[in-house]
Amino acid sequence: MMNAQTLFRMALILFVVLTLTACAKLSSKVTPDTDFGQYETYFVLRHEKDIRMLDKIIREEMILLGLKTESGTIGQKPLNVDVIVTYEDRWAWDMTNYMLSLTIDFRDARNNKLLANGQSYRPSLERRPPKDMAREVLQSIMKKAKK
């Protein structure tokens, strides 16, 4: 028979293993009536708490996808932009700080209508650099937009 201390250790090990082996997830949705062909310019809006300049990373990945994109604060937004791109980043710590999830939303600049969104979730053992997470979210959205 196992004593309580051994049982506790086994439960703790099982918890740690299950926590560390959580699966990465990538999801995206595009509103059915969205035609990205009608939009020419995009603006990635940096949120106030972003100390890592993720807006610039997302902008660079959008440019690589062929999208005319600028980024910055709300005060830097050009007057005639078609789509506002916002993001939410969540970070965790496991020996080092890493991005746990990144959510990106595309909204029509005229009426704030949600056009598309996507999310990458990567637990500790499947962590990726922010640039890679931004790329996979944007590619997933653009892939669905072409269907």
Side-chain angles (χ1 to χ4, degrees):
M1 292 205 47
M2 290 190 248
N3 65 24
Q5 189 176 15
T6 304
L7 207 56
F8 176 76
R9 284 183 187 157
M10 289 178 65
L12 183 60
I13 290 170
L14 180 61
F15 173 77
V16 169
V17 167
L18 289 174
T19 301
L20 292 177
T21 59
C23 294
K25 292 183 213 172
L26 176 64
S27 62
S28 62
K29 296 178 207 165
V30 176
T31 306
D33 59 344
T34 297
D35 174 13
F36 277 106
Q38 71 178 343
Y39 301 108
E40 293 181 19
T41 57
Y42 297 79
F43 183 77
V44 182
L45 180 61
R46 181 176 348 132
H47 64 76
E48 306 175 346
K49 296 180 182 180
D50 181 2
I51 59 172
R52 296 171 179 93
M53 306 301 273
L54 293 173
D55 62 306
K56 294 185 185 312
I57 292 171
I58 295 168
R59 185 197 81 220
E60 289 170 11
E61 292 301 318
M62 291 178 68
I63 290 170
L64 289 174
L65 290 170
L67 302 172
K68 184 178 176 187
T69 310
E70 294 185 41
S71 67
T73 63
I74 191 70
Q76 297 169 320
K77 183 181 82 64
L79 293 176
N80 296 324
V81 70
D82 296 318
V83 177
I84 302 291
V85 179
T86 58
Y87 58 94
E88 180 180 347
D89 52 314
R90 297 202 184 269
W91 294 77
W93 189 89
D94 182 7
M95 303 302 246
T96 62
N97 209 20
Y98 69 96
M99 189 187 301
L100 178 64
S101 71
L102 176 64
T103 303
I104 299 176
D105 291 340
F106 285 55
R107 293 187 176 274
D108 188 305
R110 294 173 306 228
N111 57 23
N112 203 36
K113 176 185 172 193
L114 182 65
L115 303 172
N117 73 335
Q119 180 185 45
S120 175
Y121 172 83
R122 294 208 164 259
S124 180
L125 292 179
E126 298 177 277
R127 67 177 78 180
R128 296 282 184 273
K131 182 177 183 174
D132 292 354
M133 291 177 70
R135 181 180 306 127
E136 70 183 355
V137 172
L138 293 168
Q139 286 177 344
S140 179
I141 289 171
M142 290 302 133
K143 183 178 176 183
K144 286 194 175 177
K146 293 180 180 179
K147 287 185 178 180

